[in-house]
Amino acid sequence: MSGPGQDSEPEAKVLLIKRLYRAVVESVHKLDAIIGSKSSYREVFKPENISLRNKLRELCVKLMFLHPVDYGRKAEELLWRKVYYEVIQVIKTNKKVRWQKQPYRCGSVPLVSTQPYTSAD
């Protein structure tokens, strides 16, 4: 026979897992809205968005270790895609766009930074 303390522990764990999963889904929706915006390359490095990605990373790691069978693979995939890969893709995509709009600006930075050394005679 099972006692009252034995049944409540799995229920508490199930509720915790559901709460964690709900928080992960909410964070993913917020990050999707940020990535979907036109100025996403400016938005991804704002402090509040960095903290949102850090929060998502922590939640996914907790979820992977609390229930690896049902949520482990999905949490790992979300962790990689939302915290790391999409940020890299936004930077790569906008690097190409910004280079086409301002081709000489990127190349002039090293020349401007060496100007005090070359013009002092």
Side-chain angles (χ1 to χ4, degrees):
M1 289 195 134
S2 62
Q6 292 175 349
D7 289 336
S8 65
E9 185 177 62
E11 288 179 19
K13 188 175 180 181
V14 169
L15 288 174
L16 175 66
I17 291 170
K18 286 182 180 182
R19 230 179 306 136
L20 281 172
Y21 187 72
R22 194 174 314 126
V24 166
V25 169
E26 288 174 7
S27 298
V28 166
H29 287 307
K30 289 177 185 176
L31 287 172
D32 283 341
I34 293 165
I35 295 293
S37 68
K38 289 184 180 180
S39 62
S40 61
Y41 63 94
R42 291 183 186 146
E43 296 289 322
V44 291
F45 293 113
K46 287 189 174 179
E48 61 269 12
N49 297 331
I50 292 171
S51 65
L52 182 62
R53 284 195 305 273
N54 287 336
K55 177 184 171 187
L56 179 63
R57 185 185 72 224
E58 291 172 8
L59 290 171
C60 285
V61 168
K62 284 181 186 177
L63 197 57
M64 283 190 287
F65 286 114
L66 278 175
H67 210 287
V69 175
D70 290 337
Y71 295 105
R73 186 172 298 271
K74 183 66 176 174
E76 182 182 9
E77 190 264 331
L78 284 172
L79 171 70
W80 168 248
R81 187 167 39 97
K82 295 295 177 186
V83 176
Y84 301 108
Y85 183 73
E86 285 186 356
V87 176
I88 294 168
Q89 284 302 109
V90 165
I91 293 167
K92 282 184 176 181
T93 302
N94 286 298
K95 182 179 173 183
K96 292 176 186 174
V97 170
R98 292 181 76 187
W99 175 252
Q100 291 170 355
K101 289 181 181 178
Q102 303 169 351
Y104 299 109
R105 188 172 189 185
C106 295
S108 65
V109 172
L111 296 176
V112 171
S113 64
T114 60
Q115 188 176 12
Y117 302 109
T118 57
S119 63
D121 284 300

